[in-house]
Amino acid sequence: MSLVVIGASIAVLTGVGAGIGIGLATSGATEAIARQPEAADKINKTFLLGCALAEATAIYGLLVALVILFLK
């Protein structure tokens, strides 16, 4: 039982990577918009796509953890 819980905990750690990635992306997008305000629309679209992809990896990690826990 304990190895199942450890495996699920490791799978959920993908959320940490997604959080760091989204934070770095936000920082970069803010700096880019500050340097080039006329390109804000293009930067915003790219930023939102990147955030969606990063968040998807966190959701996949959560799903894997749930599968590990409930379908052991």
Side-chain angles (χ1 to χ4, degrees), residues 50-66:
C51 284
L53 292 173
E55 195 62 36
T57 46
I59 292 170
Y60 293 145
L62 176 65
L63 289 176
V64 167
L66 291 174

Side-chain angles (χ1 to χ4, degrees), residues 5-72:
V5 174
I6 291 172
S9 301
I10 291 171
V12 171
L13 285 178
T14 57
V16 174
I20 292 171
I22 291 172
L24 290 174
T26 303
S27 170
T30 304
E31 286 183 27
I33 291 172
R35 291 174 191 244
Q36 244 179 343
E38 65 275 359
D41 289 336
K42 189 172 183 180
I43 294 168
N44 228 359
K45 288 177 187 175
T46 305
F47 164 70
L48 289 175
L49 178 64
C51 284
L53 292 173
E55 195 62 36
T57 46
I59 292 170
Y60 293 145
L62 176 65
L63 289 176
V64 167
L66 291 174
V67 166
I68 289 171
L69 285 175
F70 295 116
L71 298 180
K72 54 184 170 163

